[in-house]
Amino acid sequence: MAADNIKMRAQLKGDYVEVKVLMSHPMDTGRKKGDDGELIPAHFVQLVTATLNGLPVLEAQWGTGVSKNPYLTFRLRNAKLGDMVAVTWHDNFGASATQDIIVTQA
Amino acid sequence: MQRRNFLLGFLSLLVLAPLQAWAAMWNKAAFEAVKLNDATQSLQIDREINSQDIQVTAPDMAENGAIVQVEIRSNIPNTESLMILVEKNPTPLIAHYKFSNGAEPFIVTRIKMAETSDIKVVAKVGSQYFTNSKNVVVLENGCG
């Protein structure tokens, strides 16, 4: 999948870096019917990982209850200007996407 | 004093703990559980302590249950992970966040809510679990 389906921002705000992430994903629960009356199979992000300069900082396991086009904010204490934050998601169909961004001043 | 001793004990445990805890293990049993108690059992939460140090910020009322923004935070030192559960959702466990290397126990995300329910947040601190809840009135089901 194209890397552009994760939008990211990482900004230094005083003594922490705030990372905002917006992913493109249907997050189908498997309980909703499509226009053809058939159930749409569950299709959702199960795992999100984030790293700071390659070091793991966040691991998120998700169920189907996270909203469509998932939004996520997290905060890092040990980050500084110029550091690289990367985010990767994996869904239950085996698809994945990765994006990274450099920390800038808010 | 008790708590300080406990925290010191926990810190030494952290140093000794193997670092491969990052293995991507999706907790299928917990995420597919349809009852809150089954979900927390699958998360191996045996006892929870109510705590105002766990903050759950969400609107009092949500017009559309498909998108309910929630901010969760733990003010307890050495919080390792935060879990979000919605009691009355078809599958209550929404998300499980694990923090390391200076990530704060703080998350903002958007979740689905089937009906009016508590949003329950559980924080894991060593071998203890702390919890707090926020009730959200849902006007329109968001769990299609």
Side-chain angles (χ1 to χ4, degrees), chain A residues 1-95:
Chain A
M1 278 199 191
D4 63 1
N5 61 12
I6 302 180
K7 286 185 179 146
M8 280 179 74
R9 199 174 75 182
Q11 291 188 319
L12 182 65
K13 293 186 169 181
D15 58 353
Y16 65 87
V17 166
E18 185 163 81
V19 184
K20 291 183 186 245
V21 187
L22 190 60
M23 309 167 201
S24 295
H25 202 280
M27 296 300 287
D28 289 317
T29 62
R31 283 186 293 274
K32 190 171 152 187
K33 285 180 180 165
D35 294 334
D36 57 2
E38 298 287 317
L39 279 178
I40 300 167
H43 181 203
F44 62 103
V45 171
Q46 287 183 307
L47 181 74
V48 180
T49 56
T51 59
L52 171 66
N53 300 328
L55 204 64
V57 286
L58 178 71
E59 183 202 86
Q61 292 183 30
W62 283 355
T64 55
V66 172
S67 298
K68 179 180 176 178
N69 296 330
Y71 171 81
L72 181 65
T73 299
F74 57 94
R75 291 178 176 173
L76 305 173
R77 279 278 159 197
N78 297 342
K80 55 188 188 303
L81 289 178
D83 282 355
M84 192 176 79
V85 180
V87 167
T88 300
W89 61 250
H90 297 270
D91 74 13
N92 66 321
F93 285 3

Coordinates of all heavy atoms in Angstrom, one line a residue, chain A residues 1-95:
Chain A
M1 N 0.8 -1.2 0.0 CA 0.0 0.0 0.0 C 0.9 1.3 0.0 O 2.0 1.3 0.5 CB -0.9 0.0 1.3 CG -2.1 -0.8 1.1 SD -3.3 -0.4 2.3 CE -4.5 -1.7 2.1
A2 N 0.3 2.3 -0.5 CA 1.1 3.6 -0.6 C 1.3 4.1 0.8 O 0.4 4.0 1.7 CB 0.3 4.6 -1.4
A3 N 2.5 4.7 1.0 CA 2.8 5.2 2.3 C 2.0 6.5 2.6 O 1.9 6.9 3.8 CB 4.3 5.6 2.4
D4 N 1.3 7.0 1.6 CA 0.6 8.3 1.8 C -0.7 8.1 2.5 O -1.5 9.0 2.7 CB 0.5 9.1 0.6 CG -0.4 8.4 -0.5 OD1 -0.8 7.3 -0.2 OD2 -0.6 9.0 -1.6
N5 N -1.0 6.8 2.9 CA -2.3 6.7 3.6 C -2.1 6.8 5.2 O -3.0 6.5 5.9 CB -3.1 5.4 3.2 CG -2.3 4.2 3.5 OD1 -1.2 4.2 4.2 ND2 -2.7 3.0 3.0
I6 N -0.9 7.2 5.6 CA -0.7 7.6 7.0 C -0.3 9.1 6.9 O 0.7 9.4 6.2 CB 0.4 6.8 7.7 CG1 0.0 5.3 7.7 CG2 0.5 7.3 9.1 CD1 1.0 4.5 8.4
K7 N -1.0 10.0 7.6 CA -0.6 11.4 7.7 C -0.1 11.6 9.1 O -0.7 11.1 10.1 CB -1.8 12.3 7.4 CG -2.2 12.4 6.0 CD -3.3 13.4 5.8 CE -3.7 13.4 4.3 NZ -5.1 13.7 4.1
M8 N 1.1 12.2 9.2 CA 1.7 12.4 10.5 C 2.2 13.8 10.7 O 2.6 14.5 9.8 CB 2.9 11.4 10.6 CG 2.6 10.0 10.9 SD 4.1 9.0 11.0 CE 4.8 9.6 12.5
R9 N 2.3 14.1 12.0 CA 2.9 15.4 12.5 C 3.6 15.1 13.8 O 3.0 14.4 14.7 CB 1.8 16.4 12.6 CG 2.3 17.9 12.6 CD 1.2 18.8 12.7 NE 0.6 18.8 14.0 CZ -0.5 19.6 14.4 NH1 -1.1 20.2 13.4 NH2 -0.9 19.6 15.6
A10 N 4.8 15.6 14.0 CA 5.5 15.4 15.3 C 6.1 16.7 15.7 O 7.0 17.3 15.0 CB 6.6 14.3 15.1
Q11 N 5.6 17.3 16.7 CA 6.0 18.7 17.1 C 6.5 18.7 18.6 O 5.9 18.1 19.5 CB 4.8 19.6 17.0 CG 4.4 19.8 15.5 CD 3.3 20.9 15.4 OE1 2.4 21.0 16.2 NE2 3.5 21.7 14.4
L12 N 7.6 19.4 18.7 CA 8.1 19.7 20.1 C 7.3 20.7 20.8 O 7.1 21.8 20.2 CB 9.6 20.1 20.0 CG 10.3 20.4 21.3 CD1 10.5 19.1 22.1 CD2 11.7 21.0 21.1
K13 N 6.7 20.4 21.9 CA 5.9 21.3 22.7 C 6.4 21.4 24.1 O 6.0 20.6 24.9 CB 4.4 20.8 22.7 CG 3.8 20.8 21.3 CD 2.3 20.5 21.4 CE 1.6 20.8 20.1 NZ 0.2 20.5 20.1
G14 N 7.3 22.3 24.3 CA 7.9 22.3 25.7 C 8.8 21.1 25.9 O 9.8 20.9 25.2
D15 N 8.5 20.3 26.9 CA 9.3 19.2 27.3 C 8.9 17.9 26.7 O 9.3 16.8 27.1 CB 9.5 19.1 28.8 CG 8.2 19.0 29.5 OD1 7.1 19.0 28.9 OD2 8.2 18.7 30.7
Y16 N 7.9 17.9 25.8 CA 7.6 16.6 25.2 C 7.3 16.8 23.7 O 7.1 18.0 23.2 CB 6.3 16.0 25.8 CG 5.1 16.8 25.7 CD1 4.2 16.7 24.6 CD2 4.7 17.7 26.7 CE1 3.1 17.4 24.5 CE2 3.5 18.5 26.6 CZ 2.7 18.3 25.5 OH 1.6 19.1 25.3
V17 N 7.3 15.7 22.9 CA 7.0 15.8 21.5 C 5.6 15.2 21.3 O 5.3 14.1 21.9 CB 8.0 15.1 20.7 CG1 7.5 14.8 19.3 CG2 9.3 15.8 20.6
E18 N 4.7 15.9 20.7 CA 3.4 15.3 20.4 C 3.3 14.8 19.0 O 3.6 15.6 18.1 CB 2.3 16.4 20.7 CG 0.9 15.9 20.5 CD -0.1 16.8 21.1 OE1 -0.5 17.8 20.5 OE2 -0.5 16.5 22.3
V19 N 2.9 13.6 18.9 CA 2.8 13.0 17.5 C 1.3 12.7 17.2 O 0.6 12.1 18.1 CB 3.5 11.6 17.5 CG1 3.5 11.0 16.1 CG2 5.0 11.8 18.0
K20 N 0.9 13.2 16.1 CA -0.5 13.0 15.7 C -0.5 12.2 14.4 O 0.3 12.5 13.5 CB -1.2 14.4 15.4 CG -1.5 15.2 16.7 CD -2.2 16.4 16.4 CE -2.3 17.3 17.7 NZ -3.7 17.4 18.2
V21 N -1.4 11.2 14.4 CA -1.4 10.3 13.2 C -2.8 10.1 12.7 O -3.7 9.9 13.5 CB -0.8 8.9 13.7 CG1 -0.7 7.9 12.5 CG2 0.5 9.0 14.5
L22 N -3.0 10.1 11.4 CA -4.3 9.8 10.8 C -4.1 8.8 9.8 O -3.3 9.0 8.8 CB -4.9 11.1 10.2 CG -6.3 11.1 9.8 CD1 -7.2 10.7 10.9 CD2 -6.7 12.4 9.1
M23 N -4.7 7.7 9.9 CA -4.6 6.5 9.0 C -5.8 6.4 8.1 O -6.9 6.7 8.6 CB -4.3 5.2 9.7 CG -3.3 5.3 10.8 SD -3.3 3.9 11.9 CE -2.4 4.6 13.3
S24 N -5.6 5.9 6.9 CA -6.8 5.6 6.0 C -7.1 4.1 6.1 O -6.3 3.3 5.7 CB -6.5 6.0 4.6 OG -6.3 7.4 4.4
H25 N -8.2 3.8 6.7 CA -8.6 2.4 6.8 C -10.1 2.3 7.1 O -10.6 3.0 7.9 CB -7.8 1.7 7.9 CG -7.7 0.2 7.7 ND1 -8.7 -0.7 8.0 CD2 -6.7 -0.6 7.2 CE1 -8.4 -1.9 7.7 NE2 -7.2 -1.9 7.2
P26 N -10.8 1.3 6.4 CA -12.2 1.2 6.6 C -12.6 0.8 8.0 O -13.7 1.1 8.5 CB -12.6 0.1 5.6 CG -11.4 -0.6 5.3 CD -10.3 0.4 5.4
M27 N -11.8 0.0 8.7 CA -12.1 -0.5 10.1 C -13.5 -1.1 10.1 O -14.4 -0.8 11.0 CB -12.0 0.6 11.1 CG -10.6 1.2 11.3 SD -9.4 0.1 11.8 CE -9.8 -0.2 13.5
D28 N -13.8 -2.1 9.2 CA -15.1 -2.8 9.1 C -15.2 -3.8 10.3 O -14.3 -4.6 10.5 CB -15.2 -3.5 7.8 CG -15.4 -2.5 6.6 OD1 -16.2 -1.6 6.8 OD2 -14.8 -2.7 5.6
T29 N -16.3 -3.7 10.9 CA -16.5 -4.6 12.1 C -16.9 -6.0 11.8 O -16.8 -6.9 12.6 CB -17.6 -4.0 13.0 OG1 -18.8 -4.1 12.3 CG2 -17.3 -2.6 13.5
G30 N -17.4 -6.2 10.6 CA -17.9 -7.6 10.2 C -19.4 -7.7 10.6 O -20.0 -8.8 10.4
R31 N -20.0 -6.7 11.1 CA -21.4 -6.8 11.5 C -22.3 -5.9 10.6 O -23.5 -5.9 10.8 CB -21.6 -6.3 13.0 CG -21.1 -7.3 14.0 CD -21.4 -6.9 15.4 NE -20.6 -5.7 15.7 CZ -19.4 -5.8 16.2 NH1 -18.8 -6.9 16.5 NH2 -18.7 -4.7 16.5
K32 N -21.8 -5.3 9.6 CA -22.6 -4.4 8.8 C -22.8 -5.0 7.4 O -21.9 -5.7 6.9 CB -21.8 -3.1 8.7 CG -22.6 -1.9 8.0 CD -21.7 -0.7 8.2 CE -22.0 0.3 7.1 NZ -21.1 1.5 7.2
K33 N -24.0 -4.8 6.9 CA -24.3 -5.3 5.6 C -24.0 -4.3 4.5 O -24.3 -3.1 4.7 CB -25.8 -5.8 5.5 CG -26.0 -7.1 6.2 CD -27.5 -7.5 6.2 CE -27.6 -8.8 6.9 NZ -29.0 -9.1 7.2
G34 N -23.5 -4.8 3.3 CA -23.3 -3.9 2.2 C -24.5 -3.7 1.4 O -25.6 -4.2 1.8
D35 N -24.4 -3.0 0.3 CA -25.6 -2.7 -0.6 C -26.2 -4.0 -1.1 O -27.4 -4.0 -1.4 CB -25.2 -1.8 -1.7 CG -24.7 -0.4 -1.2 OD1 -25.2 0.0 -0.1 OD2 -23.9 0.2 -1.9
D36 N -25.4 -5.0 -1.2 CA -25.9 -6.3 -1.8 C -26.6 -7.2 -0.7 O -27.0 -8.3 -0.9 CB -24.8 -7.1 -2.4 CG -23.6 -7.3 -1.5 OD1 -23.7 -6.9 -0.3 OD2 -22.6 -7.9 -1.9
G37 N -26.7 -6.6 0.5 CA -27.3 -7.4 1.6 C -26.4 -8.4 2.3 O -26.8 -9.0 3.3
E38 N -25.2 -8.5 1.8 CA -24.3 -9.5 2.4 C -23.4 -8.8 3.5 O -23.2 -7.6 3.3 CB -23.3 -10.0 1.3 CG -24.0 -10.8 0.2 CD -24.4 -12.2 0.7 OE1 -23.7 -12.9 1.4 OE2 -25.6 -12.5 0.4
L39 N -23.0 -9.5 4.5 CA -22.2 -8.9 5.5 C -20.8 -8.5 4.9 O -20.2 -9.3 4.2 CB -22.0 -9.9 6.7 CG -23.1 -10.1 7.7 CD1 -22.7 -11.1 8.7 CD2 -23.3 -8.7 8.4
I40 N -20.4 -7.4 5.3 CA -19.0 -6.9 4.9 C -18.1 -7.6 5.9 O -18.2 -7.4 7.1 CB -18.9 -5.4 4.9 CG1 -19.9 -4.8 4.0 CG2 -17.5 -5.0 4.6 CD1 -20.0 -3.3 4.2
P41 N -17.1 -8.4 5.4 CA -16.2 -9.0 6.4 C -15.4 -8.0 7.2 O -15.1 -6.9 6.8 CB -15.2 -9.8 5.4 CG -15.8 -9.8 4.1 CD -16.7 -8.6 4.0
A42 N -15.1 -8.5 8.4 CA -14.3 -7.6 9.3 C -13.0 -7.3 8.6 O -12.3 -8.2 8.1 CB -14.0 -8.4 10.6
H43 N -12.6 -6.1 8.6 CA -11.3 -5.6 8.0 C -10.8 -4.4 8.8 O -11.4 -3.3 8.7 CB -11.6 -5.2 6.5 CG -10.4 -4.7 5.8 ND1 -10.5 -3.9 4.7 CD2 -9.1 -5.0 6.0 CE1 -9.3 -3.7 4.2 NE2 -8.4 -4.3 5.0
F44 N -9.8 -4.7 9.6 CA -9.4 -3.7 10.6 C -8.0 -3.8 11.0 O -7.4 -4.8 10.8 CB -10.3 -3.8 11.9 CG -10.2 -5.1 12.6 CD1 -9.4 -5.2 13.8 CD2 -10.8 -6.2 12.1 CE1 -9.3 -6.4 14.5 CE2 -10.7 -7.4 12.8 CZ -9.9 -7.5 14.0
V45 N -7.4 -2.7 11.4 CA -6.0 -2.6 11.8 C -5.9 -3.3 13.2 O -6.7 -3.0 14.1 CB -5.6 -1.1 12.0 CG1 -4.2 -1.1 12.6 CG2 -5.5 -0.5 10.6
Q46 N -5.0 -4.2 13.3 CA -4.9 -5.0 14.6 C -3.7 -4.5 15.4 O -3.6 -4.7 16.6 CB -4.7 -6.5 14.3 CG -5.9 -7.2 13.8 CD -5.7 -8.6 13.6 OE1 -4.8 -9.0 12.9 NE2 -6.5 -9.5 14.2
L47 N -2.7 -4.0 14.7 CA -1.4 -3.7 15.4 C -0.9 -2.4 14.8 O -0.8 -2.2 13.6 CB -0.4 -4.8 15.2 CG 0.9 -4.6 15.9 CD1 0.8 -4.8 17.4 CD2 2.0 -5.5 15.4
V48 N -0.5 -1.5 15.7 CA 0.2 -0.2 15.3 C 1.4 -0.1 16.2 O 1.3 -0.3 17.4 CB -0.7 1.0 15.6 CG1 0.0 2.3 15.2 CG2 -2.1 0.9 14.9
T49 N 2.5 0.1 15.6 CA 3.8 0.3 16.3 C 4.4 1.6 16.0 O 4.3 2.1 14.8 CB 4.8 -0.8 16.0 OG1 5.1 -0.9 14.6 CG2 4.3 -2.2 16.5
A50 N 5.0 2.2 16.9 CA 5.7 3.5 16.7 C 7.1 3.4 17.3 O 7.4 2.8 18.3 CB 5.0 4.6 17.4
T51 N 8.1 4.0 16.5 CA 9.5 4.0 17.0 C 10.0 5.5 17.0 O 9.5 6.3 16.2 CB 10.4 3.2 16.1 OG1 10.3 3.7 14.7 CG2 10.0 1.7 16.1
L52 N 11.0 5.7 17.9 CA 11.7 7.0 17.9 C 13.1 6.7 17.6 O 13.8 5.9 18.4 CB 11.5 7.6 19.3 CG 12.4 8.9 19.6 CD1 12.0 10.0 18.7 CD2 12.3 9.2 21.0
N53 N 13.6 7.2 16.5 CA 15.0 6.8 16.0 C 15.2 5.3 16.0 O 16.3 4.9 16.4 CB 16.0 7.6 16.9 CG 15.9 9.1 16.8 OD1 15.5 9.6 15.8 ND2 16.2 9.7 17.9
G54 N 14.2 4.6 15.6 CA 14.3 3.1 15.5 C 14.0 2.4 16.8 O 13.9 1.1 16.8
L55 N 13.9 3.1 17.9 CA 13.6 2.4 19.2 C 12.1 2.4 19.5 O 11.4 3.4 19.4 CB 14.3 3.3 20.3 CG 14.7 2.6 21.6 CD1 15.8 1.5 21.4 CD2 15.2 3.7 22.6
P56 N 11.6 1.2 19.9 CA 10.1 1.1 20.1 C 9.6 2.1 21.2 O 10.2 2.1 22.3 CB 9.9 -0.3 20.4 CG 11.2 -0.9 20.8 CD 12.2 -0.1 20.1
V57 N 8.5 2.8 21.0 CA 8.0 3.6 22.0 C 6.5 3.3 22.3 O 6.0 3.5 23.4 CB 8.1 5.2 21.7 CG1 9.5 5.6 21.9 CG2 7.6 5.4 20.2
L58 N 5.8 2.8 21.3 CA 4.4 2.5 21.5 C 4.0 1.3 20.7 O 4.4 1.1 19.5 CB 3.5 3.7 21.0 CG 2.0 3.5 21.0 CD1 1.5 3.6 22.5 CD2 1.3 4.6 20.2
E59 N 3.2 0.4 21.3 CA 2.7 -0.8 20.6 C 1.2 -0.8 20.9 O 0.8 -0.8 22.1 CB 3.3 -2.1 21.1 CG 2.7 -3.3 20.3 CD 2.9 -4.6 21.1 OE1 2.0 -4.9 22.0 OE2 3.9 -5.3 20.9
A60 N 0.3 -0.6 19.9 CA -1.1 -0.6 20.1 C -1.7 -1.8 19.5 O -1.5 -2.1 18.3 CB -1.7 0.6 19.5
Q61 N -2.5 -2.6 20.2 CA -3.4 -3.6 19.7 C -4.8 -3.1 19.6 O -5.2 -2.5 20.6 CB -3.4 -4.9 20.6 CG -2.0 -5.6 20.6 CD -2.1 -6.8 21.5 OE1 -3.1 -7.5 21.6 NE2 -1.0 -7.2 22.1
W62 N -5.4 -3.2 18.4 CA -6.7 -2.7 18.3 C -7.7 -3.8 17.9 O -7.4 -4.8 17.2 CB -6.7 -1.7 17.1 CG -6.1 -0.3 17.5 CD1 -5.7 0.1 18.7 CD2 -5.9 0.8 16.6 NE1 -5.3 1.4 18.6 CE2 -5.4 1.8 17.3 CE3 -6.1 0.9 15.2 CZ2 -5.0 3.0 16.8 CZ3 -5.7 2.2 14.6 CH2 -5.2 3.2 15.4
G63 N -9.0 -3.6 18.3 CA -10.1 -4.4 17.9 C -10.9 -3.6 16.9 O -10.4 -2.6 16.3
T64 N -12.1 -4.1 16.6 CA -12.9 -3.4 15.6 C -13.6 -2.1 16.1 O -14.2 -1.4 15.3 CB -14.1 -4.4 15.1 OG1 -14.8 -4.8 16.3 CG2 -13.5 -5.6 14.4
G65 N -13.4 -1.8 17.4 CA -14.1 -0.6 18.0 C -13.4 0.7 17.8 O -13.8 1.7 18.2
V66 N -12.2 0.7 17.1 CA -11.6 1.9 16.8 C -12.2 2.5 15.5 O -12.6 1.8 14.6 CB -10.1 1.7 16.5 CG1 -9.4 3.0 16.0 CG2 -9.4 1.3 17.8
S67 N -12.5 3.8 15.5 CA -13.3 4.4 14.4 C -12.6 4.3 13.1 O -11.3 4.2 13.0 CB -13.5 5.9 14.7 OG -14.3 6.0 15.9
K68 N -13.4 4.3 12.0 CA -12.9 4.4 10.6 C -11.9 5.5 10.4 O -12.0 6.6 11.0 CB -14.1 4.6 9.7 CG -13.8 4.7 8.2 CD -15.1 4.9 7.4 CE -14.8 5.1 6.0 NZ -16.0 5.3 5.2
N69 N -10.9 5.3 9.6 CA -9.8 6.2 9.4 C -9.2 6.6 10.8 O -9.3 7.8 11.2 CB -10.2 7.4 8.6 CG -10.6 7.0 7.2 OD1 -10.1 6.1 6.6 ND2 -11.6 7.7 6.7
P70 N -8.5 5.7 11.4 CA -8.1 5.8 12.8 C -7.2 7.1 13.1 O -6.4 7.4 12.3 CB -7.3 4.6 13.1 CG -7.9 3.6 12.2 CD -8.2 4.3 10.9
Y71 N -7.5 7.7 14.2 CA -6.8 8.9 14.6 C -6.1 8.6 15.9 O -6.7 7.9 16.8 CB -7.8 10.1 14.8 CG -7.2 11.3 15.5 CD1 -6.5 12.2 14.7 CD2 -7.3 11.5 16.9 CE1 -5.9 13.3 15.3 CE2 -6.7 12.6 17.5 CZ -6.0 13.5 16.7 OH -5.4 14.6 17.3
L72 N -4.9 9.0 16.1 CA -4.1 8.7 17.3 C -3.2 9.8 17.6 O -2.5 10.4 16.7 CB -3.3 7.4 17.0 CG -2.4 6.9 18.1 CD1 -3.2 6.4 19.2 CD2 -1.6 5.7 17.5
T73 N -3.2 10.2 18.9 CA -2.2 11.2 19.4 C -1.4 10.5 20.5 O -2.0 9.8 21.3 CB -2.8 12.4 20.0 OG1 -3.6 13.1 19.0 CG2 -1.8 13.4 20.5
F74 N 0.0 10.6 20.5 CA 0.7 10.1 21.6 C 1.9 11.1 21.9 O 2.1 12.0 21.1 CB 1.3 8.7 21.4 CG 2.1 8.5 20.2 CD1 3.5 8.6 20.2 CD2 1.5 8.2 19.0 CE1 4.3 8.3 19.1 CE2 2.3 7.9 17.8 CZ 3.7 8.0 17.9
R75 N 2.5 11.0 23.1 CA 3.5 11.9 23.5 C 4.8 11.2 23.9 O 4.8 10.2 24.6 CB 3.0 12.8 24.7 CG 1.9 13.7 24.3 CD 1.3 14.5 25.4 NE 0.3 15.4 25.0 CZ -0.4 16.2 25.8 NH1 -0.3 16.0 27.1 NH2 -1.3 17.0 25.4
L76 N 5.9 11.8 23.5 CA 7.2 11.3 23.8 C 8.1 12.2 24.6 O 8.2 13.4 24.3 CB 8.0 11.0 22.5 CG 7.2 10.1 21.5 CD1 7.9 10.0 20.2 CD2 7.0 8.7 22.1
R77 N 8.6 11.7 25.7 CA 9.4 12.5 26.6 C 10.9 12.7 26.1 O 11.5 13.7 26.3 CB 9.5 11.9 28.0 CG 8.3 12.2 28.9 CD 8.4 13.5 29.5 NE 7.1 14.0 29.9 CZ 6.8 15.2 30.2 NH1 7.7 16.2 30.2 NH2 5.5 15.5 30.6
N78 N 11.4 11.6 25.5 CA 12.8 11.6 25.2 C 13.2 12.0 23.8 O 14.2 11.7 23.3 CB 13.4 10.2 25.4 CG 13.3 9.7 26.9 OD1 13.1 10.5 27.7 ND2 13.3 8.4 27.1
A79 N 12.3 12.8 23.2 CA 12.5 13.1 21.8 C 12.9 14.6 21.7 O 12.6 15.4 22.6 CB 11.2 12.9 21.0
K80 N 13.7 14.9 20.6 CA 14.1 16.3 20.4 C 14.0 16.7 18.9 O 13.7 15.8 18.1 CB 15.6 16.5 20.9 CG 16.5 15.5 20.3 CD 17.9 15.6 21.0 CE 18.9 14.7 20.2 NZ 18.6 13.3 20.1
L81 N 14.2 17.9 18.7 CA 14.1 18.4 17.3 C 15.1 17.6 16.4 O 16.2 17.3 16.8 CB 14.6 19.9 17.2 CG 13.6 20.9 17.8 CD1 14.2 22.3 17.7 CD2 12.2 20.8 17.1
G82 N 14.6 17.2 15.2 CA 15.4 16.5 14.3 C 15.3 14.9 14.4 O 15.7 14.2 13.5
D83 N 14.7 14.5 15.5 CA 14.5 13.0 15.7 C 13.5 12.5 14.7 O 12.7 13.2 14.2 CB 14.0 12.7 17.1 CG 15.2 12.8 18.1 OD1 16.3 13.0 17.7 OD2 14.9 12.7 19.3
M84 N 13.6 11.2 14.4 CA 12.6 10.6 13.5 C 11.6 9.7 14.2 O 12.0 8.8 15.0 CB 13.3 9.8 12.4 CG 12.4 9.4 11.3 SD 13.2 8.6 9.9 CE 13.3 6.9 10.6
V85 N 10.4 9.9 14.0 CA 9.3 9.1 14.5 C 8.7 8.3 13.3 O 8.4 8.9 12.3 CB 8.2 10.0 15.2 CG1 7.1 9.1 15.7 CG2 8.8 10.8 16.3
A86 N 8.5 7.0 13.5 CA 7.9 6.2 12.4 C 6.8 5.4 13.0 O 6.8 5.0 14.2 CB 9.0 5.2 11.9
V87 N 5.7 5.3 12.2 CA 4.5 4.5 12.6 C 4.2 3.5 11.5 O 4.3 3.8 10.3 CB 3.3 5.5 12.7 CG1 2.0 4.7 12.8 CG2 3.5 6.4 14.0
T88 N 3.9 2.3 12.0 CA 3.5 1.2 11.0 C 2.2 0.6 11.5 O 2.0 0.4 12.7 CB 4.6 0.1 11.0 OG1 5.8 0.7 10.6 CG2 4.2 -1.1 10.1
W89 N 1.3 0.3 10.6 CA 0.1 -0.5 11.0 C 0.1 -1.8 10.2 O 0.6 -1.9 9.1 CB -1.2 0.3 10.9 CG -1.6 0.8 9.6 CD1 -1.7 2.2 9.2 CD2 -2.2 0.1 8.4 NE1 -2.2 2.3 8.0 CE2 -2.5 1.1 7.5 CE3 -2.4 -1.2 8.2 CZ2 -3.1 0.7 6.2 CZ3 -3.0 -1.6 6.9 CH2 -3.3 -0.6 6.0
H90 N -0.6 -2.8 10.8 CA -0.8 -4.1 10.2 C -2.3 -4.4 10.3 O -2.8 -4.3 11.5 CB 0.0 -5.2 10.8 CG 1.5 -5.0 10.7 ND1 2.2 -5.5 9.7 CD2 2.3 -4.4 11.5 CE1 3.5 -5.2 9.9 NE2 3.6 -4.5 11.0
D91 N -3.0 -4.8 9.3 CA -4.4 -5.2 9.5 C -4.6 -6.7 9.4 O -3.7 -7.5 9.1 CB -5.3 -4.4 8.5 CG -5.2 -4.9 7.1 OD1 -4.7 -5.9 6.8 OD2 -5.7 -4.1 6.2
N92 N -5.9 -7.1 9.6 CA -6.2 -8.6 9.7 C -6.2 -9.2 8.3 O -6.3 -10.4 8.2 CB -7.5 -8.8 10.4 CG -8.7 -8.3 9.6 OD1 -8.6 -7.2 9.0 ND2 -9.8 -9.0 9.6
F93 N -6.0 -8.4 7.2 CA -5.9 -9.0 5.9 C -4.4 -9.2 5.5 O -4.1 -9.6 4.4 CB -6.5 -8.1 4.8 CG -8.0 -8.2 4.8 CD1 -8.7 -9.0 5.8 CD2 -8.8 -7.5 3.9 CE1 -10.1 -9.1 5.8 CE2 -10.2 -7.6 3.8 CZ -10.8 -8.4 4.8
G94 N -3.5 -8.8 6.4 CA -2.1 -8.9 6.1 C -1.5 -7.7 5.5 O -0.3 -7.6 5.1
A95 N -2.3 -6.6 5.2 CA -1.8 -5.4 4.6 C -1.1 -4.6 5.7 O -1.3 -4.7 6.9 CB -2.9 -4.6 4.0

